[in-house]
Amino acid sequence: MKRFFLSSAAVALACGVAACASTGSGSGASQPTESETSVILQDPAGLWGSKEQGQPWLELSADGKVAGSDGCNRINGTWSGSEELEFGALASTKMYCEGVDDWLSRAATAKLEEGNKMLVLDANGEELGTLAYGGSNS
């Protein structure tokens, strides 16, 4: 009887672990629906990128302010627009961090693309990089 109980418990545990593993998307984030993408393109306020240490990110506030980081240096300034954004007077600290690319501090404009990506461009219109939508402001 004891052996039956232990075998049953082991099978139940294995099934539970398998069920949990199969419900994840693999990337930890779900893909936005078409209506969510449409809303983001109309109102881009929110987090773009990831606030994990060493990662570039921008947070666009509804009042036209932007704050962020290139992964090392803090970035502050203003933004305007909807699908095509303009950044005004971005200021950045100038610390040296080995292995961090400061591309985001050179942002002048950006274009929002389907699939919730922000294509960041410099003053000459050259592509600097992309940021994924990370969520709305809280």
Side-chain angles (χ1 to χ4, degrees):
M1 183 70 157
K2 196 180 219 183
R3 192 176 288 168
F4 174 75
F5 176 73
L6 290 175
S7 296
S8 297
V11 169
L13 180 62
C15 289
V17 170
C20 290
S22 67
T23 60
S25 65
S27 67
S30 62
Q31 291 297 317
T33 65
E34 187 173 328
S35 63
E36 288 171 328
T37 299
S38 176
V39 169
I40 293 165
L41 290 176
Q42 293 170 11
D43 180 13
L47 176 65
W48 293 88
S50 170
K51 288 187 176 181
E52 291 183 31
Q53 187 167 345
Q55 297 298 309
W57 59 274
L58 291 176
E59 192 157 19
L60 308 179
S61 298
D63 64 0
K65 294 180 182 172
V66 61
S69 173
D70 62 10
C72 174
N73 291 289
R74 292 184 309 264
I75 299 170
N76 291 293
T78 60
W79 72 278
S80 62
S82 56
E83 288 186 46
E84 295 193 16
L85 307 178
E86 288 190 33
F87 298 110
L90 288 183
S92 174
T93 58
K94 298 293 181 192
M95 297 182 294
Y96 173 76
C97 296
E98 190 170 334
V100 174
D101 185 351
D102 68 350
W103 64 270
L104 191 54
S105 64
R106 297 188 307 273
T109 62
K111 294 180 183 179
L112 301 184
E113 301 177 334
E114 295 292 331
N116 301 330
K117 298 284 183 194
M118 177 188 289
L119 177 64
V120 181
L121 309 168
D122 68 11
N124 297 321
E126 297 292 322
E127 181 179 334
L128 294 171
T130 60
L131 297 171
Y133 184 68
S136 62
N137 291 338
S138 40

